[in-house]
Amino acid sequence: MKRVSIIFLFILTIISYQNVIFASYNSEALVEELHQQVERVFKERSKIWNQLLMGQYVSIDEIEEDLNEFIVDPLLKLDMEMFEHMLNNPTSYEGISNVSVKSIYVVKNSLNRVKLECIMLWDISGYENEYTEEIKYIVEMENIKDRWMLSNYQISE
């Protein structure tokens, strides 16, 4: 009986060890995937921002169609209000030459939603010079049909 118990515990230990390794790998893979997806979404938003500044959008519907590819509510609604205001009230805005994710940390992970803490680097084309800003955000992503979409973000303190 002791022998059966020891063998059973040994097998249970091996299975548990494999699950820990697998879970660790999945976590690392998720962080890498989210890093790429957050950077992709912010680059796409920056591209739309710059195209609006260059006069390449003439209607808010064109902007909404492009934003629908990678943003969902509530951020979509807020972005639409901001871009509509920019279209209706043109003024001087600085362009974005690049945006990248410096670091990313998963704060909360649920079935199809994730909350992240990200440090982003923004390369800004100012009026007189170019400069880089480092900003820490809380970013919320939602997985819809196997695609990560940005649902909200805010500056973290």
Side-chain angles (χ1 to χ4, degrees), residues 47 68 109:
K47 180 179 168 186
N68 275 323
N109 184 6

Side-chain angles (χ1 to χ4, degrees), residues 21 27 32 35 42 47 49 61 65 71 77 127 129 134 145 156:
I21 291 172
S27 177
E32 181 58 33
H35 183 278
F42 276 88
K47 180 179 168 186
W49 173 273
D61 293 332
E65 186 177 321
I71 297 177
K77 182 179 181 211
Y127 304 114
N129 61 351
E134 182 177 300
K145 297 180 183 174
S156 176

